[in-house]
Amino acid sequence: AEACERWQQGLVWKCVRVRDRGVSAVMSRFLRAAGRVFQGLNEREWTGPFFFAQLADTQYGLQSAFEKTDPDVWKRERQNVLMAVEKINKLKPKFVVVCGDLVNAFPSPEDSARQQRQVADFKEDMDKIDKSIALVCLCGNHDIGDRPNAATISLYKTRFGDDYCAFHAGGVRCIVLNSQLHKDCSDAQHEAAEQDRWLERVLQEEPTPAFCLVFTHIPPFIEKHDEPAGYFNYDPVVRGRLLTQLRQANTKAWFCGHYHRNAGGHAGDLEVVITSAVGVTLKPSGTDPLGLKGFDGCECGPDTSGLRLVKVFREGVSHKWFPLSKLPDHVDVSTKTW
């Protein structure tokens, strides 16, 4: 069985590499995460207040999966993203970060062709963001698989660059992590150990930043730092280790997606910020908030889908989530209020 699985993964890898050559025209900006840094964002000195935009779960194809309609149609997700792109180009944030689940199809043999088409459309749409605005993309469980391995991670890296990296924006250290290696590394133990060693080194690098921000797909917790494990959060042991490590490194906020709803809380002075989807959002069921029974239906449109704007000040951040239909025309970084 293991030999067969390795053969299938190799087949997916070879097939998708050939298909991906057709979208090389928009590849360059999506490969700036290289050598575990994000090329072009290296502002190590505090330069004054700024803002950035956080998106999560563009997830092309999720709506049709919920509705059990044509699996090769993701028109509504694309409409949302293009609306977000248009507003982002007017607002001119320092950078845009997309916190994972860029597409819905998994990197499995049966879904590889569909995933490649979704990736191509995602790149076509997101490449419309003004080239002066850095675009940072993260991997989610749909991008590299619920149980990633060396092959699925390598495939992601050919499309979007490093699966984890660091950069500096306005004197703030920003750390991008592959959260699936924290969620289930049973087939990627070597890769998970490498990320852990890398994170320890990065947090000790000089010069000391104003503070740190962290970006992942999966959140460490949904509401409380001591909540039990569930589908949408980390195992408590892994969570506790990372929260302690990041708090000691003066991390002010940890931005995530995955939940398709807004949520979050605090672990001491570290805030976990869970941002609802710019694609398909989930309607809470009122039960099982940590698991897959916690939602009942979905929505996808300008009044229910949106993104988060984050103001960054010397002492911390101020943020607000907006539905696409109510995004502002200007962000005033002279004040923390919205």
Side-chain angles (χ1 to χ4, degrees):
E2 290 182 2
C4 180
E5 185 177 353
R6 286 196 297 270
W7 178 85
Q8 287 178 325
Q9 291 163 355
L11 180 63
V12 172
W13 166 242
K14 290 175 184 176
C15 289
V16 178
R17 279 196 71 185
V18 171
R19 293 191 191 102
D20 274 355
R21 290 172 188 161
V23 294
S24 59
V26 295
M27 286 290 280
S28 58
R29 83 177 303 170
F30 296 97
L31 295 175
R32 288 174 62 182
R36 301 303 177 194
V37 297
F38 191 89
Q39 309 294 331
L41 281 177
N42 191 32
E43 302 169 348
R44 293 178 178 264
E45 300 294 329
W46 176 251
T47 55
F50 64 91
F51 79 100
F52 65 87
Q54 184 212 4
L55 286 67
D57 299 282
T58 46
Q59 208 158 342
Y60 285 15
L62 180 58
Q63 183 74 21
S64 61
F66 266 115
E67 295 179 346
K68 294 181 171 56
T69 55
D70 188 342
D72 291 313
V73 174
W74 36 89
K75 180 179 179 180
R76 275 178 280 184
E77 291 95 322
R78 294 192 76 175
Q79 288 174 335
N80 283 7
V81 166
L82 289 172
M83 184 179 296
V85 167
E86 181 180 5
K87 184 62 71 170
I88 285 167
N89 285 338
K90 293 178 181 178
L91 289 170
K92 293 289 193 299
K94 182 178 284 288
F95 64 88
V96 174
V97 58
V98 188
C99 285
D101 275 4
L102 312 178
V103 300
N104 187 61
F106 284 98
S108 60
E110 60 272 16
D111 266 355
S112 62
R114 181 173 296 118
Q115 191 191 59
Q116 192 278 328
R117 291 193 296 272
Q118 290 173 354
V119 166
D121 285 349
F122 172 87
K123 287 184 174 183
E124 179 181 328
D125 295 341
M126 295 300 286
D127 195 49
K128 292 180 171 64
I129 292 177
D130 190 283
K131 298 303 185 292
S132 66
I133 303 170
L135 173 62
V136 183
C137 295
L138 279 64
C139 60
N141 56 304
H142 281 258
D143 304 309
I144 61 173
D146 284 328
R147 193 175 69 183
N149 55 50
T152 63
I153 294 171
S154 293
L155 174 58
Y156 175 85
K157 290 169 70 173
T158 66
R159 292 167 165 171
F160 293 103
D162 286 347
D163 55 320
Y164 57 92
C165 66
F167 60 92
H168 290 78
V172 174
R173 177 177 290 150
C174 298
I175 299 172
V176 169
L177 295 175
N178 180 344
S179 57
Q180 209 57 34
L181 293 177
H182 294 136
K183 184 68 173 177
D184 185 351
C185 67
S186 53
D187 285 349
Q189 294 183 24
H190 173 72
E191 290 78 6
E194 281 192 334
Q195 178 175 241
D196 288 345
R197 288 191 292 269
W198 171 85
L199 177 60
E200 186 174 355
R201 290 195 304 271
V202 166
L203 293 177
Q204 295 173 355
E205 284 181 355
E206 298 290 343
T208 303
F211 54 85
C212 295
L213 298 176
V214 172
F215 301 93
T216 63
H217 176 59
I218 298 177
F221 59 83
I222 301 302
E223 294 179 342
K224 299 179 180 179
H225 69 89
D226 58 352
E227 68 192 20
Y231 172 79
F232 285 107
N233 62 10
Y234 282 21
D235 175 85
V237 174
V238 176
R239 176 199 311 157
R241 172 175 60 83
L242 285 167
L243 288 173
T244 298
Q245 186 179 21
L246 294 171
R247 288 180 62 193
Q248 290 174 347
N250 194 26
T251 301
K252 297 292 188 182
W254 182 338
F255 292 92
C256 330
H258 189 50
Y259 199 53
H260 294 256
R261 291 152 282 178
N262 289 309
H266 286 80
D269 54 358
L270 190 161
E271 183 181 12
V272 169
V273 183
I274 303 171
T275 293
S276 188
V278 71
V280 175
T281 60
L282 299 179
K283 298 178 181 178
S285 66
T287 63
D288 190 28
L290 306 182
L292 292 173
K293 295 180 181 179
F295 57 89
D296 182 19
C298 66
E299 297 176 293
C300 185
D303 294 327
T304 56
S305 307
L307 59 86
R308 189 175 302 276
L309 298 176
V310 185
K311 300 180 185 180
V312 182
F313 302 95
R314 182 64 180 80
E315 62 278 9
V317 299
S318 172
H319 55 85
K320 185 174 181 178
W321 187 87
F322 294 90
L324 294 171
S325 61
K326 295 183 180 179
L327 279 164
D329 295 320
H330 172 72
V331 175
D332 181 4
V333 296
S334 69
T335 176
K336 294 181 181 179
T337 59
W338 290 89

PDB file of all heavy atoms in Angstrom, residues 314-327:
ATOM      1  N   ARG A 314       3.672  51.306  16.764  1.00  0.00           N
ATOM      2  CA  ARG A 314       4.915  50.922  17.444  1.00  0.00           C
ATOM      3  C   ARG A 314       4.662  49.969  18.602  1.00  0.00           C
ATOM      4  O   ARG A 314       5.470  49.079  18.875  1.00  0.00           O
ATOM      5  CB  ARG A 314       5.644  52.192  17.957  1.00  0.00           C
ATOM      6  CG  ARG A 314       6.981  51.906  18.642  1.00  0.00           C
ATOM      7  CD  ARG A 314       7.963  51.309  17.676  1.00  0.00           C
ATOM      8  NE  ARG A 314       9.256  51.026  18.293  1.00  0.00           N
ATOM      9  CZ  ARG A 314       9.527  49.970  19.041  1.00  0.00           C
ATOM     10  NH1 ARG A 314       8.562  49.086  19.281  1.00  0.00           N
ATOM     11  NH2 ARG A 314      10.725  49.787  19.545  1.00  0.00           N
ATOM     12  N   GLU A 315       3.505  50.104  19.234  1.00  0.00           N
ATOM     13  CA  GLU A 315       3.224  49.297  20.415  1.00  0.00           C
ATOM     14  C   GLU A 315       2.293  48.107  20.141  1.00  0.00           C
ATOM     15  O   GLU A 315       2.033  47.310  21.035  1.00  0.00           O
ATOM     16  CB  GLU A 315       2.605  50.164  21.516  1.00  0.00           C
ATOM     17  CG  GLU A 315       1.264  50.794  21.153  1.00  0.00           C
ATOM     18  CD  GLU A 315       1.367  52.059  20.327  1.00  0.00           C
ATOM     19  OE1 GLU A 315       2.488  52.396  19.874  1.00  0.00           O
ATOM     20  OE2 GLU A 315       0.325  52.713  20.118  1.00  0.00           O
ATOM     21  N   GLY A 316       1.791  47.977  18.921  1.00  0.00           N
ATOM     22  CA  GLY A 316       0.894  46.863  18.642  1.00  0.00           C
ATOM     23  C   GLY A 316       0.022  47.121  17.430  1.00  0.00           C
ATOM     24  O   GLY A 316       0.363  47.934  16.564  1.00  0.00           O
ATOM     25  N   VAL A 317      -1.110  46.419  17.357  1.00  0.00           N
ATOM     26  CA  VAL A 317      -1.962  46.500  16.176  1.00  0.00           C
ATOM     27  C   VAL A 317      -3.401  46.837  16.552  1.00  0.00           C
ATOM     28  O   VAL A 317      -3.838  46.624  17.686  1.00  0.00           O
ATOM     29  CB  VAL A 317      -1.948  45.176  15.384  1.00  0.00           C
ATOM     30  CG1 VAL A 317      -0.549  44.839  14.895  1.00  0.00           C
ATOM     31  CG2 VAL A 317      -2.525  44.021  16.208  1.00  0.00           C
ATOM     32  N   SER A 318      -4.127  47.359  15.569  1.00  0.00           N
ATOM     33  CA  SER A 318      -5.566  47.592  15.662  1.00  0.00           C
ATOM     34  C   SER A 318      -6.170  47.059  14.369  1.00  0.00           C
ATOM     35  O   SER A 318      -5.675  47.362  13.279  1.00  0.00           O
ATOM     36  CB  SER A 318      -5.863  49.084  15.823  1.00  0.00           C
ATOM     37  OG  SER A 318      -7.257  49.339  15.724  1.00  0.00           O
ATOM     38  N   HIS A 319      -7.232  46.259  14.464  1.00  0.00           N
ATOM     39  CA  HIS A 319      -7.736  45.611  13.256  1.00  0.00           C
ATOM     40  C   HIS A 319      -9.258  45.578  13.246  1.00  0.00           C
ATOM     41  O   HIS A 319      -9.917  45.678  14.288  1.00  0.00           O
ATOM     42  CB  HIS A 319      -7.182  44.183  13.157  1.00  0.00           C
ATOM     43  CG  HIS A 319      -7.447  43.342  14.367  1.00  0.00           C
ATOM     44  ND1 HIS A 319      -8.621  42.644  14.552  1.00  0.00           N
ATOM     45  CD2 HIS A 319      -6.680  43.092  15.471  1.00  0.00           C
ATOM     46  CE1 HIS A 319      -8.576  42.004  15.703  1.00  0.00           C
ATOM     47  NE2 HIS A 319      -7.415  42.261  16.295  1.00  0.00           N
ATOM     48  N   LYS A 320      -9.793  45.407  12.043  1.00  0.00           N
ATOM     49  CA  LYS A 320     -11.237  45.297  11.882  1.00  0.00           C
ATOM     50  C   LYS A 320     -11.549  44.498  10.620  1.00  0.00           C
ATOM     51  O   LYS A 320     -10.908  44.684   9.586  1.00  0.00           O
ATOM     52  CB  LYS A 320     -11.895  46.680  11.798  1.00  0.00           C
ATOM     53  CG  LYS A 320     -13.428  46.634  11.738  1.00  0.00           C
ATOM     54  CD  LYS A 320     -14.040  48.027  11.794  1.00  0.00           C
ATOM     55  CE  LYS A 320     -15.566  47.955  11.754  1.00  0.00           C
ATOM     56  NZ  LYS A 320     -16.182  49.304  11.857  1.00  0.00           N
ATOM     57  N   TRP A 321     -12.528  43.599  10.744  1.00  0.00           N
ATOM     58  CA  TRP A 321     -12.993  42.825   9.596  1.00  0.00           C
ATOM     59  C   TRP A 321     -14.151  43.559   8.935  1.00  0.00           C
ATOM     60  O   TRP A 321     -15.050  44.069   9.609  1.00  0.00           O
ATOM     61  CB  TRP A 321     -13.449  41.436  10.038  1.00  0.00           C
ATOM     62  CG  TRP A 321     -13.787  40.503   8.910  1.00  0.00           C
ATOM     63  CD1 TRP A 321     -12.937  39.675   8.228  1.00  0.00           C
ATOM     64  CD2 TRP A 321     -15.078  40.286   8.330  1.00  0.00           C
ATOM     65  NE1 TRP A 321     -13.606  38.958   7.280  1.00  0.00           N
ATOM     66  CE2 TRP A 321     -14.932  39.310   7.312  1.00  0.00           C
ATOM     67  CE3 TRP A 321     -16.351  40.803   8.570  1.00  0.00           C
ATOM     68  CZ2 TRP A 321     -15.998  38.855   6.543  1.00  0.00           C
ATOM     69  CZ3 TRP A 321     -17.416  40.354   7.802  1.00  0.00           C
ATOM     70  CH2 TRP A 321     -17.228  39.397   6.807  1.00  0.00           C
ATOM     71  N   PHE A 322     -14.110  43.607   7.595  1.00  0.00           N
ATOM     72  CA  PHE A 322     -15.152  44.280   6.826  1.00  0.00           C
ATOM     73  C   PHE A 322     -15.755  43.317   5.804  1.00  0.00           C
ATOM     74  O   PHE A 322     -15.009  42.606   5.115  1.00  0.00           O
ATOM     75  CB  PHE A 322     -14.578  45.469   6.046  1.00  0.00           C
ATOM     76  CG  PHE A 322     -14.071  46.598   6.883  1.00  0.00           C
ATOM     77  CD1 PHE A 322     -12.746  46.614   7.305  1.00  0.00           C
ATOM     78  CD2 PHE A 322     -14.896  47.653   7.234  1.00  0.00           C
ATOM     79  CE1 PHE A 322     -12.259  47.666   8.068  1.00  0.00           C
ATOM     80  CE2 PHE A 322     -14.424  48.711   7.993  1.00  0.00           C
ATOM     81  CZ  PHE A 322     -13.101  48.715   8.417  1.00  0.00           C
ATOM     82  N   PRO A 323     -17.079  43.296   5.656  1.00  0.00           N
ATOM     83  CA  PRO A 323     -17.634  42.611   4.485  1.00  0.00           C
ATOM     84  C   PRO A 323     -17.200  43.373   3.229  1.00  0.00           C
ATOM     85  O   PRO A 323     -16.945  44.582   3.274  1.00  0.00           O
ATOM     86  CB  PRO A 323     -19.142  42.679   4.710  1.00  0.00           C
ATOM     87  CG  PRO A 323     -19.349  43.811   5.662  1.00  0.00           C
ATOM     88  CD  PRO A 323     -18.118  43.893   6.507  1.00  0.00           C
ATOM     89  N   LEU A 324     -17.120  42.671   2.130  1.00  0.00           N
ATOM     90  CA  LEU A 324     -16.635  43.296   0.898  1.00  0.00           C
ATOM     91  C   LEU A 324     -17.452  44.523   0.512  1.00  0.00           C
ATOM     92  O   LEU A 324     -16.920  45.501  -0.014  1.00  0.00           O
ATOM     93  CB  LEU A 324     -16.657  42.273  -0.236  1.00  0.00           C
ATOM     94  CG  LEU A 324     -15.685  41.095  -0.095  1.00  0.00           C
ATOM     95  CD1 LEU A 324     -15.970  40.044  -1.162  1.00  0.00           C
ATOM     96  CD2 LEU A 324     -14.245  41.570  -0.164  1.00  0.00           C
ATOM     97  N   SER A 325     -18.743  44.492   0.784  1.00  0.00           N
ATOM     98  CA  SER A 325     -19.620  45.601   0.396  1.00  0.00           C
ATOM     99  C   SER A 325     -19.433  46.839   1.259  1.00  0.00           C
ATOM    100  O   SER A 325     -19.937  47.915   0.912  1.00  0.00           O
ATOM    101  CB  SER A 325     -21.081  45.160   0.458  1.00  0.00           C
ATOM    102  OG  SER A 325     -21.425  44.773   1.782  1.00  0.00           O
ATOM    103  N   LYS A 326     -18.701  46.704   2.370  1.00  0.00           N
ATOM    104  CA  LYS A 326     -18.558  47.839   3.289  1.00  0.00           C
ATOM    105  C   LYS A 326     -17.104  48.206   3.559  1.00  0.00           C
ATOM    106  O   LYS A 326     -16.799  48.869   4.557  1.00  0.00           O
ATOM    107  CB  LYS A 326     -19.279  47.537   4.600  1.00  0.00           C
ATOM    108  CG  LYS A 326     -20.788  47.392   4.431  1.00  0.00           C
ATOM    109  CD  LYS A 326     -21.494  47.163   5.751  1.00  0.00           C
ATOM    110  CE  LYS A 326     -22.996  47.030   5.559  1.00  0.00           C
ATOM    111  NZ  LYS A 326     -23.708  46.792   6.842  1.00  0.00           N
ATOM    112  N   LEU A 327     -16.216  47.809   2.683  1.00  0.00           N
ATOM    113  CA  LEU A 327     -14.818  48.197   2.850  1.00  0.00           C
ATOM    114  C   LEU A 327     -14.661  49.701   2.700  1.00  0.00           C
ATOM    115  O   LEU A 327     -15.298  50.318   1.850  1.00  0.00           O
ATOM    116  CB  LEU A 327     -13.950  47.483   1.819  1.00  0.00           C
ATOM    117  CG  LEU A 327     -13.561  46.041   2.151  1.00  0.00           C
ATOM    118  CD1 LEU A 327     -13.053  45.319   0.903  1.00  0.00           C
ATOM    119  CD2 LEU A 327     -12.510  46.012   3.252  1.00  0.00           C
TER     120      LEU A 327
END
